[in-house]
Amino acid sequence: MISSPKTFSQPLRVIVWSEGTEPKTVYPKGINGAIGDFLAQEKDLEVTTATLTDDDYGVSQSRLNRTDVLIWFGHKKHDEIPDEVADRIKLQVENKGMKLIALHSSHFSKAFKSILNHSGAWADYRDTGESETIKIVDAKHPIAEGVSDFIIPHTEIYDEPFQVPEPQSVIAKGTWVSGSTSREIMTWTVGKGSVVYIRAGHEDYPIFFMPPMQRLITNAVYWKAQ
């Protein structure tokens, strides 16, 4: 459990969403279940999970109205989210102050691309299973609190440039032995809300079970919390 950065009059309401295509051999309860489990240990968070096959894709307007933070993991089925659902998420961020935390391949999710008004494309990505060193480059940022540089044993390589607006903050960068370097954690303020992108993570590797990754995601949930 992580000590909250402030006292909350009521819990922060968090939805952890995943499309459900991640292998059960790696994530038996899905990525949403894996993340939901460690976040649920936080006394200041009220955590629920959602997936593609839920009613209204798990993100109905009424549910979003009761949500402070939406964590999203999409991979193979971005196009199965209707445009109106992505628009609903965008408006909730811009007009209602919700936070979107987009994980890994969610850079191609409709909501992420629409909110940032960019393609969200990386120059290249390839799954070699190579190890990656995550270096904290903004140690004073609240999302980096309690996290030092660490190594992910096996992951996917992403290459810059990344087609997104200039971020307000770059909290971590990643490097691979092969020479690739990428920005790993970025933030933006959009209207009344905010967006966090965490590139590190993968459906075929148990990265979301790693304590430093869990700490980064938890810190991101608390960051700029109302």
Side-chain angles (χ1 to χ4, degrees):
M1 181 181 294
I2 296 172
S3 297
S4 304
K6 57 192 274 188
T7 300
F8 296 93
S9 58
Q10 60 185 21
L12 295 175
R13 301 160 298 181
V14 182
I15 295 176
V16 188
W17 191 97
S18 176
E19 68 182 31
T21 57
E22 51 272 30
K24 295 298 184 184
T25 53
V26 183
Y27 292 100
K29 297 172 65 175
I31 285 175
N32 55 353
I35 294 173
D37 280 351
F38 69 77
L39 289 180
Q41 299 176 35
E42 300 295 313
K43 63 182 180 61
D44 291 309
L45 303 182
E46 179 184 296
V47 182
T48 59
T49 60
T51 191
L52 184 68
T53 54
D54 290 347
D55 291 345
D56 216 350
Y57 304 90
V59 283
S60 66
Q61 185 64 62
S62 62
R63 192 172 184 188
L64 289 177
N65 286 342
R66 303 188 303 273
T67 300
D68 300 302
V69 183
L70 173 61
I71 301 175
W72 193 272
F73 185 92
H75 178 49
K76 298 178 179 179
K77 298 190 174 185
H78 302 303
D79 289 340
E80 294 189 24
I81 299 296
D83 291 347
E84 57 266 28
V85 172
D87 291 343
R88 183 187 303 161
I89 294 170
K90 177 181 180 179
L91 291 174
Q92 204 69 18
V93 171
E94 294 179 343
N95 298 340
K96 303 297 183 180
M98 188 179 76
K99 183 190 306 173
L100 173 68
I101 301 176
L103 303 175
H104 189 57
S105 48
S106 298
H107 64 90
F108 272 150
S109 65
K110 287 184 177 181
F112 180 81
K113 294 191 296 182
S114 178
I115 292 168
L116 296 185
N117 194 30
H118 275 65
S119 70
W122 289 86
D124 187 32
Y125 43 90
R126 54 203 180 276
D127 185 5
T128 63
E130 190 175 318
S131 67
E132 177 187 11
T133 298
I134 301 294
K135 183 174 180 58
I136 303 300
V137 295
D138 186 357
K140 294 183 178 180
H141 196 285
I143 293 178
E145 183 178 355
V147 182
S148 301
D149 299 352
F150 64 98
I151 293 175
I152 298 175
H154 305 285
T155 189
E156 186 175 23
I157 297 174
Y158 276 37
D159 281 321
E160 298 274 4
F162 182 28
Q163 300 300 321
V164 290
E166 187 66 25
Q168 284 182 304
S169 303
V170 177
I171 294 107
K173 292 185 177 180
T175 60
W176 289 265
V177 175
S178 57
S180 294
T181 302
S182 68
R183 292 168 291 173
E184 292 293 305
I185 305 176
M186 291 162 263
T187 70
W188 298 265
T189 297
V190 184
K192 295 181 178 180
S194 56
V195 175
V196 181
Y197 176 64
I198 300 177
R199 193 221 61 83
H202 194 276
E203 64 282 353
D204 289 335
Y205 304 110
I207 297 168
F208 294 113
F209 291 116
M210 296 180 63
M213 286 298 302
Q214 294 182 352
R215 181 67 187 255
L216 288 167
I217 292 170
T218 305
N219 287 348
V221 170
Y222 283 129
W223 173 66
K224 292 185 69 173
Q226 301 299 318

